[in-house]
C-alpha cells in the first residue's frame, strides 16, 4: 500500500510528488452497460450526475463556480477562458483568472497555470484596490484579491520545484498578516506617492480587531503551507526549527486566538518529528497540544495524532483504535479512513482492509471517488485473486464519478 497515506502531513497544499507540466487530455468517457460493474460494486444505481459540462450551467461566473463545486475542471478551464474574453467588472475578471489557474493546476498543466498567474502582475499593488475604480465601486475599499489567491500565488513556484521562492513569498505573506487579516491588511500596502496611507493603515487595524477568527484561519493556513513546503523539500530540520520558533513567538504574544494557533503548531511539530523518527519529541508535542484542549478525546486531530504515533511504534492495533475513533468523530475524514485500511493490512486482515475502504467509498461515492482512496484500494486488490477485474471496476468508477483531476491511468499502472 502506498506509504503516502500513512504520512502525517496529509493536509499538504503541495504535492510531495512534484506536479509536472502536461497537457490536459480528456479521458475516454464512462459508458453505462447492462449488468454494470460499477453499479454492482456500489450495490445500487449510480448517484446523480456529478461531473458537469459547460452546457449544464449558465455562462456566467456562477456557472463557473458550479463547475468548480462539481470537480469539472476541464469545463472550468474552458468556460473561464471564454468569459475572460468578454467584458466584466475588474474584480470578476480577477476571480475568473483565479478559477482558470486552479483548473490548470488540477489538470497538472503547471506551465500554463504559471503563465496565467504572471498575467495578474503585482497582487499587492494599487491596481487591485477598489479605490482605483471609484465610479465602478463607490462603496468598496481595500483589495479585491481573495486571500486564497494570495496563498496560491505564494505556493506557485513550489509546483515547479522552486521551494526557496515559495518560502520567501510565504514569509512575506505571514508578516503582512502579523496584526490583521486580509483584506484589511491591504490598506497598508496601498501606495500613494511612494508612501503608505496612514489613514488606511489605521482603518485596517480597527477592522482587523473585530475579525479574529478570519485572522487566525489565514495565519494558520500560511503556517501549514510553510511547514509543508519545508517537508516537500525534505528539509525536516528546518521545518522543526521553524515550528519551534513560531511556537515561542505565539507563546510570547497575548492574543485571544493564539491558544488555538499553538494547537495547530504543536500538532504539526509532532507530525514532522514522526517523519524524522524522533518519537519521544513527537509524543511531547502531542501532549502539549492535548493540554490546550478541554476534551482531547473528542478531537479528531488528537485521535489522528495518536494513531500516527502508534503506527510509527509498530503498534497497529492501538493505531487502528485511534483511527476508528477519528472516523466516528468525523465520518467524512478520508485520512482516517485510509489509515484504518493501512492498519488492518498491517494486522494481517487483508479482507477487512478491502472491505473498510469499499464501504467508505460506497457511503458517498460522488464525493469519495478520489485518487488516494482508489489508489489504495487498487493496491489492496492486487493482493487477492481476481484483483485485475476489481481494478478494472475501479477504473470505471473513476471515469463515472471521479473529478477531472483523477488520473485513471495511474490506477491501472499501480503494481
Amino acid at each position: 500500500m502506498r506509504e503516502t497515506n500513512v504520512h502525517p502531513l496529509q493536509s499538504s497544499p503541495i504535492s510531495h510528488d512534484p506536479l509536472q507540466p502536461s497537457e490536459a487530455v480528456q479521458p475516454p468517457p464512462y459508458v453505462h452497460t447492462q449488468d454494470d460493474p460499477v453499479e454492482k460494486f456500489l450495490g445500487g444505481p449510480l448517484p446523480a450526475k456529478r461531473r458537469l459540462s459547460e452546457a449544464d450551467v449558465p455562462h456566467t461566473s456562477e456557472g463557473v463556480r458550479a463547475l468548480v463545486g462539481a470537480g469539472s475542471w476541464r469545463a472550468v478551464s474552458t468556460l473561464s477562458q471564454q468569459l475572460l474574453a468578454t467584458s466584466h467588472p475588474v474584480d470578476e475578471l480577477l476571480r475568473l483568472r483565479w478559477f482558470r489557474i486552479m483548473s490548470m493546476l488540477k489538470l497538472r498543466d503547471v506551465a500554463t497555470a504559471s503563465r496565467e498567474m504572471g498575467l495578474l502582475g503585482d497582487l499587492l499593488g494599487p491596481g487591485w484596490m477598489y479605490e482605483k475604480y471609484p465610479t465602478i465601486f463607490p462603496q468598496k475599499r481595500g483589495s479585491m484579491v481573495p486571500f486564497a489567491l494570495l496563498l496560491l500565488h505564494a505556493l506557485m513556484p513550489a509546483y515547479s520545484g522552486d521551494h526557496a521562492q515559495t518560502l520567501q513569498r510565504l514569509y512575506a505573506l505571514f508578516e503582512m498578516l502579523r496584526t490583521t487579516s486580509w483584506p484589511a491588511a491591504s490598506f497598508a500596502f496601498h501606495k500613494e506617492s511612494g508612501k503608505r496611507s496612514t489613514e488606511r493603515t489605521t482603518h485596517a487595524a480597527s477592522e482587523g480587531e473585530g475579525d479574529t477568527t478570519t485572522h487566525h484561519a489565514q495565519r494558520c493556513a500560511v503556517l501549514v503551507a510553510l511547514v509543508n513546503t519545508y517537508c516537500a523539500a525534505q528539509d525536516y530540520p528546518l521545518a522543526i526549527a521553524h515550528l519551534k520558533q513560531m511556537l515561542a513567538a505565539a507563546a510570547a504574544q497575548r492574543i485571544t486566538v493564539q491558544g488555538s494557533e499553538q494547537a495547530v503548531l504543536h500538532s504539526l511539530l509532532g507530525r514532522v518529528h514522526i517523519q524524522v523518527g524522533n518519537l519521544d519529541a513527537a509524543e511531547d508535542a502531542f501532549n502539549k497540544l492535548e493540554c490546550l484542549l478541554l476534551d482531547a478525546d473528542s478531537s479528531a486531530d488528537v485521535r489522528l495524532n495518536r494513531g500516527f504515533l502508534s503506527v510509527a511504534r509498530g503498534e497497529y492495533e492501538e493505531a487502528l483504535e485511534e483511527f476508528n475513533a477519528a472516523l466516528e468523530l468525523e465520518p467524512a475524514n478520508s485520512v482516517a479512513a485510509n489509515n484504518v485500511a493501512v492498519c488492518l493490512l498491517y494486522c494481517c486482515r487483508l479482507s477487512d482492509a478491502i472491505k473498510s475502504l469499499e464501504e467508505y467509498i460506497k457511503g458517498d461515492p460522488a464525493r469519495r471517488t478520489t485518487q488516494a482512496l482508489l489508489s489504495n484500494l487498487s493496491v489492496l486488490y492486487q493482493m487477492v485473486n481476481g484483483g485485475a477485474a476489481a481494478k478494472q471496476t475501479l477504473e470505471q468508477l473513476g471515469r463515472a464519478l471521479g473529478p477531472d483531476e483523477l488520473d485513471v491511468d495511474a490506477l491501472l499502472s499501480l503494481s
Side-chain angles (χ1 to χ4, degrees), residues 9 226-231 235-246 268-269 272:
L9 295 177
L226 277 165
V227 173
N228 278 295
T229 302
Y230 277 125
C231 290
D235 196 342
Y236 300 111
L238 265 180
I240 291 171
H242 176 66
L243 281 166
K244 288 181 176 179
Q245 183 179 16
M246 287 190 293
L268 285 172
L269 180 59
V272 178

Side-chain angles (χ1 to χ4, degrees), residues 22-218:
S22 64
E23 292 299 321
V25 179
Q26 178 72 41
Y30 169 74
V31 179
H32 184 275
T33 60
Q34 189 174 10
D35 195 23
D36 189 86
V38 174
E39 291 188 345
K40 196 171 183 180
F41 171 84
L42 296 176
L46 284 168
K49 182 179 179 182
R50 181 173 179 239
R51 186 181 296 159
L52 305 176
S53 70
E54 304 96 293
D56 298 318
V57 299
H59 283 207
T60 63
S61 295
E62 289 303 317
V64 176
R65 290 185 178 90
L67 293 172
V68 170
S72 302
W73 295 107
R74 291 181 181 83
V76 170
S77 173
T78 302
L79 182 55
S80 59
Q81 185 75 344
Q82 291 174 1
L83 294 176
L84 281 167
T86 63
S87 177
H88 290 274
V90 64
D91 58 342
E92 201 57 47
L93 288 171
L94 176 67
R95 289 178 176 83
L96 288 170
R97 184 72 65 186
W98 176 26
F99 289 139
R100 167 86 172 154
I101 294 167
M102 288 170 55
S103 67
M104 290 296 96
L105 289 176
K106 289 289 187 179
L107 297 172
R108 296 175 292 282
D109 191 349
V110 179
T112 299
S114 297
R115 288 195 297 269
E116 296 274 346
M117 184 69 80
L119 294 175
L120 296 176
D122 182 7
L123 293 177
L124 299 178
W128 296 114
M129 300 291 284
Y130 282 114
E131 289 90 331
K132 186 175 177 63
Y133 310 93
T135 57
I136 303 176
F137 308 108
Q139 303 299 322
K140 292 187 176 182
R141 299 182 63 197
S143 176
M144 62 184 72
V145 179
F147 172 76
L149 180 54
L150 282 182
L151 184 58
L152 181 60
H153 173 266
L155 293 170
M156 185 64 72
Y159 282 93
S160 300
D162 188 353
H163 298 104
Q165 180 66 20
T166 281
L167 289 169
Q168 182 179 343
R169 292 182 181 183
L170 287 172
Y171 278 121
L173 182 56
F174 191 73
E175 175 60 23
M176 185 179 64
L177 298 172
R178 184 169 55 87
T179 59
T180 189
S181 63
W182 186 267
S186 67
F187 293 105
F189 289 86
H190 186 188
K191 301 174 182 177
E192 293 181 355
S193 302
K195 298 180 180 179
R196 291 183 178 180
S197 169
T198 303
E199 174 189 356
R200 290 181 174 85
T201 303
T202 303
H203 182 63
S206 64
E207 283 194 359
E209 289 173 358
D211 195 16
T212 55
T213 301
T214 299
H215 188 206
H216 164 64
Q218 290 178 355

Side-chain angles (χ1 to χ4, degrees), residues 5-10 270-271 274 279 286 301-314 319 322-323 335-336 339:
N5 291 289
V6 198
H7 196 290
L9 295 177
Q10 285 294 315
R271 296 182 185 193
I274 288 178
L279 304 188
F286 291 154
D301 282 339
V302 166
R303 306 310 287 262
L304 284 173
N305 287 341
R306 293 174 182 173
F308 292 138
L309 191 58
S310 293
V311 168
R313 289 171 170 163
E322 296 297 340
F323 290 133
V335 176
N339 282 285

